[in-house]
Amino acid sequence: MNRLIFMTMLLTAIQVSGQPAKRAEAGRPNIIYIMSDDHGYQAVSAYGYGLNQTPNIDRLAKEGALFTTACVTNSLCAPSRAVMLTGKHSFINGKVDNVQHFDWNQDNFPKLLRKAGYQTAMVGKIHMDGLPQGFDYSAVLPDQGDYYNPDFIINGVKQQIHGHVTEITTDLALKWLKGRDTTKPFCLLYHQKAPHRAWMPIERHYKEYTGKTFKEPATLFDDYKGRGTAAKTAEMNIGKDMNWADDDKIKPEVLEELKLHSLIKWDTASYNRSMRRMDAAQRAAWDAVYDPINEDFKKRYPTMSKEDLMHWRYQRYLQDYLGTIAGVDEGVGAVLDYLDQNGLTENTIVVYTSDQGFYMGEHGWFDKRFMYEESLKTPLLIRYPKEIRPGTKVDALVQNLDFAPTFLDYGGAKIPADMQGVSFRNLVAGKTRKWRDAIYYTYYEYPSIHMVKRHYGIRTNRYKLIHFYYDIDEWELYDLQKDPHEMHSVYNDPAYRSVRDNMHKKLEALRKKYKDSDASDQKYMKSYLSATSKKKK
């Protein structure tokens, strides 16, 4: 047979079968980015804290890499997501807090991957206004979303889906994976609402976890003497600031009986709203478990000291919080099983992370926002068999700022010059040890819920310098090697004068590098006041 005729026939046969597209994309990995909301690294068992078990998430560390010092640039839900998408700090992408509008018209990495030939999808929580851009398919929760029988906005159309939000999010993600265009590489952002406040687990998990007891952190009764005003005035103490109804699941009528009237109107309103979303069967199952907890609390409360209440509320918090994480871990397992069963494991990058860290009783706190370790650091585990060796451990200072350029690097797409993050592809593959020696952090949302004062700062491998400002002007410096729990600022210690001076120089250099300044904060304040006044109207 003539060689030209043979090659023509072969190419025609391949085109009919659809194989050329598959071959063309063979070297380009699929990407599944899994992000939960408020999942502290202490509650991923691969990190070794012993609070709970997350066997499916742990698979990513065992079969890939675990990052020990992954940090965020702004420890707040929506700003963190904006940084992840854009590869730019909050003061550059415009989403500095949970109030400001996010401009979806700006570039994000899914848009750029889509232009490069990827099929893209976002499923679950994004917590930013506007229809997500850069996705062939989106099924997202409006605002914070609900745990039971939630609404989803699917490609712009709102609908209610019966069930628990964690399982629904996983089902929607798997449904999209099964129906995707298999001739293209894919990028799926699979975002869970859990374990965001007010923690409402799946039935089988609250039945299990309400019977568990958890070890208290050594700093549960912290008196904040070694730090400045910000730590002393924050409103996120488990004993004093946690809500009785929404958080502890104490019924409003029980609170009335015990004269524990909530000072926050939205506490009982939010609790009642969540209960009303349940159907009769869901509510009956819930009451069968939580009513006895209420009855037991009614008997015990009159004789409980402040310390007793702190112990009790800590256990109530951890039971529900960790119960919601059990569902998240199951979802990760379902996705990993799907990849295994469909021959996709080898060529798929799977990332597990959270939008920031979270306090689980450390310093007596819940929530996040601070630049202190439990809030600044976030879990990060990545598996990619083609490049990442099983059991890899990465101690480098990576940030959520680095996700966008890293995914573009893996996808063979051009990384825009204005992205401020850096691809850590070669770092996690063990091809380089060269990396940044300090990270930059900002937090703006004050005065607001939890009353964590505005601050910015830097962290190196050993030291951390923080500037609290706006209505105060205070600096804190921590030696993380000698004081890993950040109990005593050494900013005014003469022995640390040279360290302090060097950290100030590093801070100014990073502010200049990332184009931050006091003017950025003034611009934010004008925008914040305008946005909050519109909300009130």
Side-chain angles (χ1 to χ4, degrees):
M1 182 183 292
N2 182 288
R3 181 178 174 80
L4 179 60
I5 295 173
F6 173 76
M7 290 302 295
T8 301
M9 291 173 64
L10 179 62
L11 287 171
T12 301
I14 291 174
Q15 287 171 350
V16 170
S17 68
Q19 290 304 310
K22 290 185 180 180
R23 287 191 178 185
E25 307 299 347
R28 306 175 71 190
N30 304 307
I31 300 167
I32 298 181
Y33 176 83
I34 309 171
M35 183 165 71
S36 53
D37 194 314
D38 292 346
H39 190 174
Y41 58 88
Q42 314 94 301
V44 174
S45 48
Y47 282 92
Y49 286 81
L51 277 174
N52 60 330
Q53 294 299 314
T54 51
N56 296 297
I57 298 171
D58 291 359
R59 272 187 64 186
L60 300 177
K62 183 179 179 181
E63 299 168 9
L66 180 142
F67 290 71
T68 63
T69 323
C71 302
V72 295
T73 60
N74 183 339
S75 187
L76 195 61
C77 300
S80 177
R81 294 160 195 272
V83 169
M84 174 271 294
L85 286 167
T86 65
K88 300 174 185 177
H89 274 278
S90 301
F91 47 85
I92 300 294
N93 69 49
K95 187 63 176 170
V96 296
D97 58 25
N98 282 339
V99 177
Q100 302 295 308
H101 170 73
F102 178 68
D103 180 12
W104 280 103
N105 291 321
Q106 64 187 301
D107 266 343
N108 62 44
F109 80 82
K111 282 185 184 181
L112 297 172
L113 285 177
R114 195 179 181 199
K115 288 179 183 177
Y118 273 72
Q119 190 177 18
T120 59
M122 175 185 283
V123 177
K125 184 173 180 178
I126 188 58
H127 195 205
M128 292 194 288
D129 55 331
L131 186 66
Q133 293 184 26
F135 303 95
D136 296 293
Y137 172 83
S138 64
V140 297
L141 294 162
D143 195 38
Q144 293 284 5
D146 292 286
Y147 273 106
Y148 279 85
N149 306 327
D151 294 323
F152 272 82
I153 301 171
I154 301 178
N155 286 342
V157 179
K158 187 176 180 179
Q159 66 180 83
Q160 186 175 19
I161 303 177
H162 185 269
H164 191 278
V165 68
T166 303
E167 294 181 315
I168 295 168
T169 302
T170 300
D171 290 344
L172 289 171
L174 290 171
K175 182 179 179 181
W176 182 82
L177 284 171
K178 293 170 184 176
R180 74 189 189 282
D181 181 351
T182 58
T183 66
K184 294 182 179 181
F186 65 83
C187 175
L188 167 65
L189 275 59
Y190 161 45
H191 293 185
Q192 291 286 11
K193 169 185 169 63
H196 192 278
R197 189 183 186 193
W199 316 280
M200 297 179 72
I202 298 167
E203 181 182 338
R204 60 184 175 277
H205 296 140
Y206 65 68
K207 285 180 175 178
E208 176 186 359
Y209 277 78
T210 51
K212 290 179 177 285
T213 301
F214 300 95
K215 183 180 178 181
E216 296 176 352
T219 60
L220 182 64
F221 290 94
D222 192 348
D223 59 13
Y224 316 116
K225 286 182 178 178
R227 279 133 299 166
T229 305
K232 295 181 178 73
T233 57
E235 297 175 358
M236 44 197 275
N237 185 274
I238 292 172
K240 294 189 297 183
D241 304 310
M242 192 169 270
N243 291 338
W244 285 107
D246 213 26
D247 295 334
D248 288 339
K249 314 301 186 295
I250 299 300
K251 291 184 171 184
E253 56 267 32
V254 175
L255 296 178
E256 289 287 339
E257 185 177 340
L258 296 175
K259 295 183 171 54
L260 279 172
H261 306 289
S262 175
L263 297 178
I264 306 172
K265 291 182 179 179
W266 59 259
D267 175 17
T268 52
S270 179
Y271 172 86
N272 288 331
R273 179 180 174 278
S274 294
M275 294 299 107
R276 285 195 297 268
R277 291 196 72 88
M278 294 182 176
D279 64 25
Q282 290 167 338
R283 183 62 191 269
W286 181 273
D287 287 345
V289 172
Y290 286 92
D291 279 359
I293 292 173
N294 274 254
E295 289 303 313
D296 178 67
F297 181 70
K298 279 170 58 176
K299 293 175 183 176
R300 296 172 59 186
Y301 176 74
T303 60
M304 293 172 81
S305 65
K306 287 184 179 180
E307 290 75 18
D308 292 334
L309 279 171
M310 185 65 152
H311 294 305
W312 185 89
R313 301 192 81 177
Y314 170 78
Q315 295 300 331
R316 266 291 44 250
Y317 166 36
L318 267 288
Q319 288 166 356
D320 289 342
Y321 176 86
L322 296 177
T324 65
I325 289 172
V328 173
D329 186 67
E330 289 175 349
V332 173
V335 170
L336 295 183
D337 287 347
Y338 172 82
L339 297 178
D340 289 344
Q341 293 159 8
N342 291 274
L344 294 167
T345 299
E346 192 70 17
N347 196 43
T348 301
I349 298 162
V350 183
V351 175
Y352 184 85
T353 189
S354 176
D355 50 357
Q356 69 268 312
F358 211 69
Y359 290 102
M360 279 168 266
E362 299 87 0
H363 307 293
W365 289 333
F366 65 103
D367 207 69
K368 58 265 185 179
R369 301 166 196 267
F370 274 114
M371 196 187 168
Y372 302 134
E373 291 291 273
E374 294 85 0
S375 174
L376 174 69
K377 287 166 57 178
T378 190
L380 177 57
L381 307 90
I382 302 179
R383 185 186 74 181
Y384 182 32
K386 284 189 174 181
E387 292 191 13
I388 303 173
R389 292 180 180 178
T392 295
K393 184 180 176 183
V394 181
D395 297 324
L397 290 163
V398 300
Q399 286 189 285
N400 54 346
L401 191 70
D402 303 320
F403 285 133
T406 299
F407 295 145
L408 293 174
D409 188 358
Y410 278 124
K414 184 179 179 181
I415 301 171
D418 62 349
M419 276 193 176
Q420 297 178 305
V422 180
S423 171
F424 54 73
R425 180 180 182 178
N426 287 335
L427 179 72
V428 71
K431 294 180 179 180
T432 183
R433 291 186 178 181
K434 187 178 180 181
W435 196 248
R436 64 170 67 94
D437 64 355
I439 57 167
Y440 184 55
Y441 178 90
T442 59
Y443 177 78
Y444 297 90
E445 196 173 275
Y446 174 88
S448 186
I449 184 173
H450 297 305
M451 298 300 283
V452 173
K453 294 187 182 295
R454 292 183 212 172
H455 58 291
Y456 59 87
I458 62 166
R459 185 199 193 279
T460 65
N461 287 321
R462 179 167 177 176
Y463 300 106
K464 184 183 295 182
L465 177 68
I466 309 173
H467 182 210
F468 292 96
Y469 67 100
Y470 180 61
D471 59 343
I472 60 172
D473 182 11
E474 296 180 9
W475 292 86
E476 295 179 7
L477 176 67
Y478 295 95
D479 184 338
L480 300 173
Q481 187 179 98
K482 293 183 178 180
D483 181 20
H485 299 299
E486 298 166 297
M487 300 294 287
H488 301 283
S489 170
V490 293
Y491 187 81
N492 294 313
D493 187 336
Y496 283 87
R497 181 173 297 171
S498 63
V499 172
R500 183 185 69 190
D501 292 345
N502 185 49
M503 290 292 283
H504 271 287
K505 289 177 183 177
K506 282 182 176 290
L507 174 62
E508 289 310 309
L510 280 189
R511 295 194 86 196
K512 184 176 181 181
K513 174 183 177 180
Y514 292 125
K515 302 178 181 178
D516 193 18
S517 66
D518 293 342
S520 298
D521 189 72
Q522 291 167 9
K523 180 181 177 182
Y524 156 70
M525 262 317 291
K526 290 180 182 178
S527 180
Y528 175 75
L529 291 172
S530 174
T532 51
S533 64
K534 286 178 183 177
K535 260 193 166 183
K536 288 176 182 177
K537 290 179 183 178

